[in-house]
Amino acid sequence: MHKILICEDEPELLDTLESLIEAKLSASEIYKAANGLDGFILAQKEKFDLIITDHKMPFMTGAAFIIGVRTRENLNKTTPFLMLSGFIDEQLRKNLSIQQVHFMEKPLTPDDFLQVIRTFLL
């Protein structure tokens, strides 16, 4: 059973991602957070196999969430991150390159999204 955390502030997209993963990767337990701060708090309590995060979210951006997890002692210091965003620029990629983050631009295609997730979980 894989444990996946999804941090996304758009409720419809959060539910869609959860449904897609559950339908195609049935051996997954999904945790959800509606913003970066809630995701950061969950990442301090649970060990995940993959963390999926949006970038532009209230309370804490995806970049701040990733940096917070990577720079503090916690259960997910080495957990892979997948950042989903329509606002990925070269500066963001450069700032997070040392954090071992994979990026996917929104809008997502379900097949590409699932293929990337499978590479992390295999």
Side-chain angles (χ1 to χ4, degrees), residues 83-122:
M83 179 177 279
L84 312 174
S85 183
F87 305 98
I88 298 172
D89 61 24
E90 286 308 308
Q91 187 61 42
L92 179 62
R93 286 180 189 271
K94 183 179 174 187
N95 290 346
L96 292 177
S97 65
I98 196 166
Q99 309 300 337
Q100 299 176 344
V101 176
H102 184 85
F103 297 91
M104 286 192 80
E105 299 241 4
K106 290 179 183 175
L108 305 168
T109 62
D111 290 339
D112 290 343
F113 175 69
L114 289 168
Q115 181 62 34
V116 169
I117 290 176
R118 284 184 183 105
T119 62
F120 283 116
L121 299 178
L122 296 178

Side-chain angles (χ1 to χ4, degrees), residues 15-25 109-111 113-114:
D15 291 342
T16 299
L17 295 175
E18 177 186 30
S19 297
L20 186 60
I21 293 169
E22 287 178 340
K24 301 294 183 177
L25 302 169
T109 62
D111 290 339
F113 175 69
L114 289 168

